[in-house]
Amino acid sequence: MIEIYTTVIFLFVLFALLGGSVWIGLALMGVAWVGMELFTSRPAGDAMITTIWSGASSWTLTALPLFIWMGEILYRTRLSEDMFRGLAPWMRFLPGGLLHTNIAGCTIFAAVSGSSAATLNMVGKMSIPELRARGYPEYMIIGTLAGAATLGLMIPPSLTLIVYGVSINESITKLFMAGVFPGLVLAGLFMLYIIGWHFFSPAQRPKPEPRLSLGEMIAESRFLLPLFGLVFVVIGSMYTGFATATEAAAVGVLGALGLSLMQGSLSWATFVESLMGATRTSAMIAFILMGAAFLSLSMGFTGLPRALAGLIDSYNLSPIALIAVLTVFYLILGMFMDGLSSVVLTMAIVEPMIRQAGIDVIWFGIFLVVVIETAQVTPPIGFNLFVLQGMTRHEISYIAKTAVPMVALMLLMVVILVVWPELATWLPENIRRQ
């Protein structure tokens, strides 16, 4: 009964603060403060100062603002125009035509951004006007973009995986590598959906694109080379062990600055805008992580995570049953909270549970990202839906309907991960043996 009362108090304080429009970071600190004052004899102020400083000064966390800055730099250059120009010649002959540029563009930009919102903004500004001008159905343009943009959460460098890794003290590089194959498989599922639409809706196909010679296609592909080079340097350096995630992020920033300089789109104003944008986003995430670190300490003193893990263990749930329960839990949570907040808010309780059940924490990180991706395109707080509403002026309900097939594919991806866990664990294990 003590654990139940403790949980009720924590939840009441949390929802009272969030309902009062208190910042999430401050709300987490407030809950932790109440827990420390009610359930421990340790001075709450001293504990908060020590915990916040330890969490904020983590070397691993340094990769977060650097990857955000890299994405901000690329977002403010002409890279989007070049990317569409380089992709279009190779996508036009696939069943579904240039709709595949939404998937391919999001996959490529996700590999240098790490942010779902940045991926959606950049690829959306690139593809929506072009696809509309060519007569593609509006619901296919928006639906495929809404789903594909979530790849920014999985394909390395992923900001969500960085936050998850910091929360459970796990290797960021291994988490990044675990997201490569699942991210590519999910992108493949999205492309299969477009191919299916092509064959089952022939009346909605636009006019065929004009033919290009092989030489012209290769010539247009040159616009992709700078971006592919940056992806190779950032991800390749981590895979080979040449650089840690933080070092690769620093190299990525230098590469992004070099690309924008060569394009002639790097001005002092662009530089300052990208730096301030990265600073605002990084400060917000760091503040949430500070609150989460203090909350984890407070809950550890109460013994609630251990008690909950023991309760779950007493039910003798199989790992698959536990995953099913957590899938529903995170989908519901994601309807009312953004992905990063969902991770930091729940890890103090969920981590002991998954370790008790013998679930690989690397695999669970990828599972968690897929479920959070799904929540990004489900109302009422589907962040990608709001971004698309601002870009297209459609109603949220319309955008959500267009994304329903993509949500189904993401849930299918959860099943695929459960059936073939090696999809997420093989590459990190391979790195571990090297």
Side-chain angles (χ1 to χ4, degrees):
M1 292 297 294
I2 295 177
E3 286 79 12
I4 295 177
Y5 291 140
T6 304
T7 303
V8 170
I9 292 172
F10 273 128
L11 291 177
F12 175 78
V13 175
L14 176 63
F15 286 117
L17 292 173
L18 292 178
S21 299
V22 176
W23 291 349
I24 293 176
L26 281 177
L28 296 177
M29 291 183 191
V31 175
W33 185 282
V34 170
M36 293 292 292
E37 290 290 348
L38 292 181
F39 302 110
T40 74
S41 58
R42 182 175 177 179
D46 292 345
M48 182 177 69
I49 293 171
T50 304
T51 306
I52 287 178
W53 173 253
S54 300
S57 61
S58 168
W59 171 249
T60 305
L61 194 58
T62 310
L64 186 66
L66 290 173
F67 278 126
I68 294 174
W69 191 16
M70 181 175 67
E72 289 281 343
I73 294 168
L74 295 176
Y75 172 63
R76 287 170 169 77
T77 66
R78 296 196 310 270
L79 188 65
S80 60
E81 301 169 15
D82 290 348
M83 185 163 60
F84 188 89
R85 188 172 176 180
L87 286 173
W90 301 99
M91 300 291 109
R92 67 181 69 211
F93 299 114
L94 293 175
L98 294 182
L99 282 172
H100 291 287
T101 57
N102 273 350
I103 314 301
C106 287
T107 303
I108 295 171
F109 190 68
V112 290
S113 166
S115 165
S116 174
T119 301
L120 180 56
N121 267 290
M122 182 168 177
V123 179
K125 290 180 179 179
M126 164 194 79
S127 67
I128 290 176
E130 296 285 349
L131 294 176
R132 281 175 172 172
R134 287 167 167 81
Y136 285 89
E138 186 77 358
Y139 76 93
M140 286 298 295
I141 297 173
I142 296 174
T144 55
L145 186 59
T150 62
L151 292 169
L153 298 179
M154 181 183 294
I155 295 178
S158 163
L159 303 185
T160 305
L161 286 177
I162 293 176
V163 171
Y164 173 77
V166 171
S167 299
I168 68 168
N169 196 27
E170 188 54 73
S171 167
I172 304 299
T173 300
K174 290 174 183 175
L175 285 166
F176 278 179
M177 293 303 104
V180 172
F181 290 151
L184 295 177
V185 170
L186 186 55
L189 291 176
F190 292 156
M191 296 183 82
L192 286 175
Y193 165 65
I194 294 174
I195 293 172
W197 164 83
H198 174 86
F199 287 114
F200 287 102
S201 304
Q204 298 181 19
R205 300 176 193 168
K207 295 179 181 179
E209 293 291 320
R211 298 183 63 84
L212 292 177
S213 67
L214 181 61
E216 290 174 320
M217 293 170 63
I218 294 175
E220 291 294 295
S221 299
R222 72 184 186 276
F223 293 102
L224 293 174
L225 292 178
L227 186 57
F228 278 144
L230 186 60
V231 171
F232 175 78
V233 170
V234 172
I235 298 181
S237 61
M238 290 187 289
Y239 178 76
T240 58
F242 183 76
T244 64
T246 304
E247 293 164 346
V251 172
V253 169
L254 294 176
L257 288 171
L259 281 178
S260 56
L261 185 62
M262 289 188 292
Q263 283 183 330
S265 56
L266 180 62
S267 62
W268 178 250
T270 302
F271 179 83
V272 172
E273 287 174 6
S274 67
L275 187 58
M276 293 307 298
T279 301
R280 284 190 293 269
T281 304
S282 302
M284 176 194 70
I285 296 174
F287 198 32
I288 293 174
L289 285 173
M290 291 176 192
F294 187 30
L295 180 60
S296 297
L297 177 68
S298 176
M299 297 189 75
F301 274 112
T302 66
L304 183 60
R306 290 188 298 274
L308 185 56
L311 178 64
I312 296 294
D313 185 55
S314 67
Y315 289 139
N316 293 318
L317 290 177
S318 67
I320 292 180
L322 178 59
I323 288 299
V325 171
L326 290 176
T327 299
V328 175
F329 168 71
Y330 277 109
L331 284 176
I332 295 174
L333 192 64
M335 291 180 182
F336 305 97
M337 193 174 293
D338 67 275
L340 291 176
S341 301
S342 299
V343 173
V344 298
L345 186 63
T346 59
M347 273 305 104
I349 294 178
V350 172
E351 183 189 359
M353 291 165 51
I354 61 174
R355 292 189 187 275
Q356 183 85 8
I359 298 173
D360 188 293
V361 292
I362 297 289
W363 178 92
F364 185 79
I366 304 306
F367 155 80
L368 188 59
V369 166
V370 175
V371 179
I372 288 174
E373 282 179 342
T374 309
Q376 291 283 302
V377 288
T378 53
I381 313 294
F383 187 68
N384 283 11
L385 303 182
F386 290 107
V387 175
L388 273 171
Q389 183 187 38
M391 296 173 67
T392 64
R393 304 302 177 188
H394 287 297
E395 294 291 333
I396 286 288
S397 58
Y398 173 80
I399 299 173
K401 289 177 183 176
T402 66
V404 168
M406 314 305 278
V407 171
L409 291 174
M410 290 184 226
L411 294 177
L412 174 61
M413 188 66 212
V414 172
V415 176
I416 292 174
L417 280 172
V418 171
V419 176
W420 292 290
E422 298 82 8
L423 196 64
T425 58
W426 181 85
L427 198 53
E429 288 292 337
N430 188 50
I431 293 175
R432 193 176 290 129
R433 288 196 299 266
Q434 289 180 348

